[in-house]
Short mmCIF file of all heavy atoms in Angstrom, two decimals:
data_model
loop_
_atom_site.label_atom_id
_atom_site.label_comp_id
_atom_site.label_asym_id
_atom_site.label_seq_id
_atom_site.Cartn_x
_atom_site.Cartn_y
_atom_site.Cartn_z
N HIS A 657 -12.59 9.06 4.04
CA HIS A 657 -12.05 7.74 3.71
C HIS A 657 -12.51 6.74 4.76
O HIS A 657 -12.60 7.06 5.93
CB HIS A 657 -10.49 7.74 3.71
CG HIS A 657 -9.93 8.46 2.47
ND1 HIS A 657 -9.64 9.80 2.47
CD2 HIS A 657 -9.62 7.96 1.23
CE1 HIS A 657 -9.13 10.09 1.27
NE2 HIS A 657 -9.07 9.03 0.50
N ALA A 658 -12.84 5.58 4.30
CA ALA A 658 -13.32 4.52 5.26
C ALA A 658 -12.45 3.24 4.93
O ALA A 658 -12.07 2.94 3.83
CB ALA A 658 -14.75 4.26 5.08
N PRO A 659 -12.34 2.34 5.97
CA PRO A 659 -11.61 1.10 5.76
C PRO A 659 -12.27 0.25 4.56
O PRO A 659 -13.48 0.19 4.56
CB PRO A 659 -11.74 0.36 7.10
CG PRO A 659 -11.97 1.43 8.06
CD PRO A 659 -12.83 2.50 7.42
N VAL A 660 -11.47 -0.34 3.80
CA VAL A 660 -11.95 -1.22 2.75
C VAL A 660 -12.61 -2.45 3.40
O VAL A 660 -11.88 -3.12 4.21
CB VAL A 660 -10.88 -1.63 1.77
CG1 VAL A 660 -11.39 -2.72 0.74
CG2 VAL A 660 -10.31 -0.47 1.01
N SER A 661 -13.82 -2.64 3.15
CA SER A 661 -14.49 -3.70 3.88
C SER A 661 -15.02 -4.78 2.90
O SER A 661 -15.58 -5.86 3.40
CB SER A 661 -15.74 -3.17 4.65
OG SER A 661 -16.59 -2.46 3.75
N ARG A 662 -14.88 -4.60 1.59
CA ARG A 662 -15.44 -5.56 0.67
C ARG A 662 -14.34 -5.99 -0.32
O ARG A 662 -13.55 -5.16 -0.82
CB ARG A 662 -16.64 -4.95 -0.14
CG ARG A 662 -17.69 -4.43 0.76
CD ARG A 662 -18.89 -3.91 0.11
NE ARG A 662 -18.75 -3.56 -1.35
CZ ARG A 662 -19.75 -3.63 -2.25
NH1 ARG A 662 -20.90 -4.14 -1.88
NH2 ARG A 662 -19.57 -3.22 -3.45
N GLY A 663 -14.19 -7.29 -0.52
CA GLY A 663 -13.24 -7.79 -1.43
C GLY A 663 -11.78 -7.72 -0.90
O GLY A 663 -11.56 -7.45 0.26
N ALA A 664 -10.85 -8.00 -1.71
CA ALA A 664 -9.45 -8.01 -1.41
C ALA A 664 -8.94 -6.62 -1.21
O ALA A 664 -9.42 -5.56 -1.74
CB ALA A 664 -8.65 -8.64 -2.51
N VAL A 665 -8.04 -6.47 -0.29
CA VAL A 665 -7.42 -5.18 0.01
C VAL A 665 -6.62 -4.65 -1.22
O VAL A 665 -5.70 -5.35 -1.68
CB VAL A 665 -6.48 -5.20 1.22
CG1 VAL A 665 -5.82 -3.80 1.41
CG2 VAL A 665 -7.23 -5.56 2.46
N PRO A 666 -6.98 -3.53 -1.82
CA PRO A 666 -6.31 -3.13 -3.02
C PRO A 666 -4.92 -2.59 -2.74
O PRO A 666 -4.62 -1.92 -1.73
CB PRO A 666 -7.16 -1.94 -3.53
CG PRO A 666 -7.84 -1.43 -2.27
CD PRO A 666 -8.04 -2.66 -1.41
N GLY A 667 -4.00 -2.95 -3.63
CA GLY A 667 -2.63 -2.44 -3.51
C GLY A 667 -2.33 -1.49 -4.74
O GLY A 667 -3.03 -1.43 -5.66
N ARG A 668 -1.23 -0.83 -4.58
CA ARG A 668 -0.81 0.08 -5.65
C ARG A 668 0.64 -0.13 -6.00
O ARG A 668 1.46 -0.32 -5.13
CB ARG A 668 -0.91 1.55 -5.18
CG ARG A 668 -0.78 2.56 -6.27
CD ARG A 668 -0.73 3.99 -5.56
NE ARG A 668 -1.16 5.05 -6.43
CZ ARG A 668 -1.04 6.36 -6.18
NH1 ARG A 668 -0.56 6.70 -4.95
NH2 ARG A 668 -1.48 7.32 -7.03
N ALA A 669 1.00 -0.29 -7.25
CA ALA A 669 2.32 -0.57 -7.71
C ALA A 669 3.29 0.51 -7.30
O ALA A 669 2.99 1.62 -7.31
CB ALA A 669 2.38 -0.71 -9.24
N ARG A 670 4.43 0.06 -6.71
CA ARG A 670 5.39 0.98 -6.15
C ARG A 670 6.16 1.66 -7.33
O ARG A 670 6.49 1.02 -8.35
CB ARG A 670 6.29 0.33 -5.19
CG ARG A 670 5.62 -0.32 -4.02
CD ARG A 670 6.63 -0.76 -2.95
NE ARG A 670 7.17 0.41 -2.27
CZ ARG A 670 6.70 0.97 -1.24
NH1 ARG A 670 5.63 0.45 -0.68
NH2 ARG A 670 7.28 2.01 -0.58
N THR A 671 6.60 2.87 -7.10
CA THR A 671 7.40 3.53 -8.06
C THR A 671 8.86 3.90 -7.53
O THR A 671 9.60 4.63 -8.17
CB THR A 671 6.77 4.84 -8.55
OG1 THR A 671 6.55 5.65 -7.43
CG2 THR A 671 5.43 4.60 -9.19
N ASP A 672 9.16 3.34 -6.31
CA ASP A 672 10.43 3.62 -5.72
C ASP A 672 11.28 2.37 -5.79
O ASP A 672 11.03 1.46 -6.57
CB ASP A 672 10.23 4.10 -4.27
CG ASP A 672 9.53 3.09 -3.37
OD1 ASP A 672 9.25 1.97 -3.87
OD2 ASP A 672 9.24 3.44 -2.23
N HIS A 673 12.40 2.24 -5.03
CA HIS A 673 13.25 1.21 -5.05
C HIS A 673 12.72 0.01 -4.18
O HIS A 673 13.58 -0.92 -3.89
CB HIS A 673 14.65 1.62 -4.60
CG HIS A 673 15.32 2.52 -5.60
ND1 HIS A 673 15.35 2.24 -6.98
CD2 HIS A 673 16.00 3.63 -5.50
CE1 HIS A 673 16.07 3.14 -7.62
NE2 HIS A 673 16.42 4.11 -6.61
N ASN A 674 11.54 0.10 -3.67
CA ASN A 674 10.90 -0.96 -2.86
C ASN A 674 11.62 -1.35 -1.57
O ASN A 674 12.22 -2.45 -1.55
CB ASN A 674 10.59 -2.18 -3.75
CG ASN A 674 9.75 -3.15 -3.04
OD1 ASN A 674 8.98 -2.77 -2.10
ND2 ASN A 674 9.70 -4.41 -3.50
N PRO A 675 11.65 -0.54 -0.65
CA PRO A 675 12.30 -0.87 0.66
C PRO A 675 11.61 -2.04 1.41
O PRO A 675 12.09 -2.49 2.41
CB PRO A 675 12.27 0.44 1.48
CG PRO A 675 11.03 1.20 0.94
CD PRO A 675 11.05 0.92 -0.51
N LEU A 676 10.46 -2.47 0.92
CA LEU A 676 9.78 -3.62 1.53
C LEU A 676 10.60 -4.91 1.25
O LEU A 676 10.44 -5.87 2.02
CB LEU A 676 8.39 -3.78 0.96
CG LEU A 676 7.34 -2.66 1.24
CD1 LEU A 676 6.05 -2.86 0.53
CD2 LEU A 676 7.15 -2.48 2.77
N ASN A 677 11.33 -4.92 0.21
CA ASN A 677 12.20 -6.03 -0.10
C ASN A 677 13.62 -5.58 0.09
O ASN A 677 14.26 -4.92 -0.81
CB ASN A 677 11.98 -6.47 -1.62
CG ASN A 677 12.76 -7.74 -2.03
OD1 ASN A 677 13.87 -7.87 -1.51
ND2 ASN A 677 12.12 -8.56 -2.77
N ARG A 678 14.24 -5.93 1.23
CA ARG A 678 15.58 -5.38 1.61
C ARG A 678 16.63 -5.77 0.51
O ARG A 678 17.46 -4.95 0.17
CB ARG A 678 15.89 -5.90 2.97
CG ARG A 678 17.25 -5.29 3.52
CD ARG A 678 17.70 -5.90 4.85
NE ARG A 678 18.82 -5.19 5.37
CZ ARG A 678 18.83 -4.16 6.18
NH1 ARG A 678 17.68 -3.63 6.57
NH2 ARG A 678 19.91 -3.61 6.60
N ARG A 679 16.62 -7.02 0.11
CA ARG A 679 17.64 -7.43 -0.82
C ARG A 679 17.54 -6.66 -2.17
O ARG A 679 18.53 -6.18 -2.61
CB ARG A 679 17.43 -8.94 -1.11
CG ARG A 679 18.41 -9.54 -2.07
CD ARG A 679 18.11 -11.00 -2.33
NE ARG A 679 19.04 -11.54 -3.24
CZ ARG A 679 20.27 -12.09 -2.98
NH1 ARG A 679 20.66 -12.07 -1.76
NH2 ARG A 679 21.06 -12.54 -3.86
N GLU A 680 16.33 -6.65 -2.62
CA GLU A 680 16.08 -5.83 -3.90
C GLU A 680 16.45 -4.37 -3.70
O GLU A 680 17.12 -3.83 -4.58
CB GLU A 680 14.70 -6.02 -4.35
CG GLU A 680 14.33 -5.10 -5.54
CD GLU A 680 12.75 -5.27 -5.86
OE1 GLU A 680 12.21 -6.40 -5.63
OE2 GLU A 680 12.19 -4.24 -6.22
#
Side-chain angles (χ1 to χ4, degrees):
H657 286 91
V660 173
S661 58
R662 305 183 339 149
V665 174
R668 191 188 205 189
R670 301 190 72 89
T671 59
D672 58 8
H673 293 311
N674 190 18
L676 297 176
N677 185 323
R678 186 182 183 92
R679 179 184 179 86
E680 175 185 322

